[in-house]
Amino acid sequence: AASVAKVTSAQESSHAQCAETASSDAESSSFEPPDLVALVRNKCVLFDNSAGAECDAEDAKRCGSDVDSIASTSPGSSLLCIDCELPDGLAVANNCYGRCLVATKPFKEGQCVYSQCTTRGSAVEYLIRVRQGASVMTYSMDTVNSVKDVNSDLRKLYTFDGFTNHGCEPNVLSIDGDDTPESLSYDMVAVRDIDIGEEILVDYATFEYECDGHQIDKCLCGSSKCRGNMRGFKHLTLDEKIEIMPHADFALVEKFVAETPNLSFVDYTHCLPGSIDVVQHGDEWEMVAAKPIRAGELLFRNTSTVVTDEDFKFVVRLRDQATLAVAGKHFLHREGYMEFLGFDSFMQHSCDPNVVQTYVSMTDYEIHARRGIKLGETITCDYTTLHNLFTGAKLVPVMSFTCRCGSACCLGEIHC
């Protein structure tokens, strides 16, 4: 099962635990497959074994030993076979846990490692035929190599990246493309430089709600961020969910919201004010100007949500990614209640801010520019001044941090 990755040397014994059970090596061949297997590139067809047919010795040379073993052990069945091409720069290899995916050329941070389209289907066992140049490798696959779909009984039937192993600290991010009931396309993008010979490892929790067929009771990835095991997004702690939520498949986040009490979902993907944008820097979000803004100009009006339960949380969707807004970090605290501001909860602090917030009711407020703001400039407010002067409700400080805004009037320690 694959979608995201972390890197360690293929020779190190401290590799992430492989979700792939070792099996006999597939044989390399430049021959065409036997008539028994009809293959269409990037499409699925049936390996017809309805008569209990078995590959003979010559067929095994063409198909590979894995095909022979499945054909001989599954009489009367029909096996799905998926033809694919192994991208340049990658190789299917073996480590001490079984098969793995390794880099055969360097990749730079931000570079697309490969693009792929995964078929959805009901198959529990299936075949893949992997081409790379003149080489042809045929492998048997099962639930170790596929992923249970979040919203249906189908599985995502991975091809070569079904051999990608798990690591708790990913180095590749899966960017989803077209998503249909039949298939899912995605790009795998490096989040740090990858050297030749390093293994591609994936954080299963970013795309599996519950590991079905390849859960890991004891993770051996060796990362300082190792979570100890891997059973899927559902079984992570809340802090672990928050950490990977911006990189997780959104279907997982939606299911988590639906199953969790005291949790609400807010989608700002297509309804941000035209003057601003919310962008991600690392694991943090910040608000930036989407156009040049004049001094005194109104950026937007907004209405906060009153919250009285300290345990209540919001899942906020921005740019097709999600993050968690919680009372201790994203709410304004008043006497007797709290306010969730929404998308501008991610506005950064400055002791010399470029905007000011003015309340016109208990929950309605306006944001005006204190000075000219350039396109792309970070929009900042002074957290210590967010009192509601309309009602007289004071800000109740519940957190503190050291400010590094760098302004001449910086207060240093901020209590808000």
Side-chain angles (χ1 to χ4, degrees):
S3 233
V4 197
K6 177 210 173 238
V7 173
T8 46
S9 168
Q11 283 72 42
E12 291 177 353
S13 60
S14 60
H15 274 166
Q17 179 168 334
C18 179
E20 159 67 8
T21 303
S23 58
S24 59
D25 292 338
E27 297 186 19
S28 177
S29 172
S30 58
F31 290 98
E32 287 301 309
D35 294 338
L36 195 60
V37 186
L39 295 165
V40 181
R41 188 174 184 274
N42 292 330
K43 300 290 183 181
C44 295
V45 295
L46 287 177
F47 179 94
D48 186 4
N49 197 32
S50 57
E54 298 183 13
C55 293
D56 58 25
E58 186 62 26
D59 288 338
K61 291 180 183 178
R62 300 168 182 167
C63 298
S65 56
D66 280 3
V67 174
D68 182 46
S69 65
I70 283 192
S72 61
T73 57
S74 304
S77 67
S78 293
L79 289 178
L80 200 63
C81 188
I82 307 173
D83 197 23
C84 66
E85 186 170 341
L86 189 63
D88 180 50
L90 296 176
V92 176
N94 294 303
N95 64 15
C96 56
Y97 301 110
R99 293 204 178 97
C100 59
L101 198 64
V102 298
T104 59
K105 72 177 185 181
F107 294 95
K108 292 293 186 181
E109 179 180 349
Q111 182 178 354
C112 181
V113 177
Y114 64 88
S115 298
Q116 182 67 345
C117 183
T118 292
T119 298
R120 287 185 169 97
S122 58
V124 175
E125 292 181 338
Y126 61 104
L127 306 175
I128 64 170
R129 188 168 189 265
V130 183
R131 304 171 183 268
Q132 191 171 47
S135 175
V136 178
M137 307 285 282
T138 306
Y139 303 92
S140 62
M141 312 290 273
D142 55 27
T143 57
V144 169
N145 315 104
S146 61
V147 169
K148 176 75 166 55
D149 205 38
V150 178
N151 297 315
S152 75
D153 292 329
L154 300 177
R155 302 187 71 87
K156 297 173 187 174
L157 307 178
Y158 292 103
T159 55
F160 62 85
D161 51 353
F163 298 124
T164 309
N165 297 333
H166 168 77
C168 295
E169 190 177 0
N171 81 326
V172 177
L173 180 65
S174 175
I175 311 252
D176 287 351
D178 292 337
D179 190 353
T180 72
E182 295 79 25
S183 64
L184 171 67
S185 62
Y186 51 92
D187 294 332
M188 300 297 297
V189 179
V191 296
R192 72 167 178 83
D193 291 350
I194 302 173
D195 293 329
I196 295 174
E198 289 190 302
E199 183 180 357
I200 307 297
L201 302 176
V202 8
D203 184 351
Y204 290 177
T206 59
F207 58 91
E208 282 199 90
Y209 197 67
E210 290 190 84
C211 288
D212 179 20
H214 45 259
Q215 62 273 4
I216 299 171
D217 295 326
K218 183 178 180 181
C219 180
L220 304 176
C221 72
S223 166
S224 60
K225 296 183 178 181
C226 181
R227 298 187 289 262
N229 60 60
M230 176 42 52
R231 293 179 293 152
F233 185 88
K234 177 180 180 178
H235 300 283
L236 300 180
T237 67
L238 181 58
D239 286 343
E240 290 168 346
K241 286 186 177 78
I242 293 171
E243 183 176 1
I244 73 165
M245 195 175 286
H247 312 299
D249 286 357
F250 195 72
L252 276 61
V253 179
E254 288 183 312
K255 191 172 181 66
F256 164 62
V257 171
E259 293 183 352
T260 306
N262 295 325
L263 193 65
S264 184
F265 172 72
V266 187
D267 190 348
Y268 293 112
T269 303
H270 303 295
C271 58
L272 293 176
S275 59
I276 64 100
D277 197 2
V278 181
V279 298
Q280 188 178 20
H281 287 163
D283 292 330
E284 295 294 327
W285 295 87
E286 65 179 41
M287 187 182 299
V288 298
K291 65 172 188 174
I293 300 170
R294 300 184 308 273
E297 184 178 343
L298 174 69
L299 278 73
F300 58 85
R301 296 182 177 91
N302 200 11
T303 300
S304 64
T305 301
V306 173
V307 181
T308 56
D309 186 347
E310 287 277 353
D311 294 328
F312 202 88
K313 308 170 185 67
F314 289 86
V315 172
V316 180
R317 185 179 187 181
L318 296 159
R319 291 180 167 273
D320 291 326
Q321 294 184 331
T323 190
L324 197 66
V326 296
K329 185 175 181 181
H330 299 102
F331 295 5
L332 297 181
H333 289 248
R334 315 285 189 194
E335 283 292 342
Y337 69 98
M338 299 171 291
E339 287 181 74
F340 173 61
L341 302 183
F343 58 85
D344 49 328
S345 297
F346 302 98
M347 193 184 306
Q348 296 297 308
H349 167 83
S350 173
C351 298
D352 184 22
N354 53 21
V355 302
V356 61
Q357 179 170 316
T358 305
Y359 279 85
V360 295
S361 75
M362 179 180 175
T363 55
D364 298 317
Y365 58 92
E366 299 177 345
I367 301 291
H368 288 84
R370 295 180 66 237
R371 58 176 178 270
I373 303 173
K374 298 177 181 178
L375 171 66
E377 182 178 345
T378 301
I379 296 173
T380 59
C381 66
D382 184 346
Y383 288 178
T384 66
T385 65
L386 297 179
H387 308 293
N388 188 332
L389 300 183
F390 186 88
T391 63
K394 298 284 188 179
L395 182 69
V396 178
V398 296
M399 62 174 289
S400 63
F401 62 91
T402 301
C403 180
R404 294 181 173 84
C405 69
S407 69
C409 57
C410 183
L411 299 175
E413 196 71 13
I414 303 299
H415 302 275
C416 58

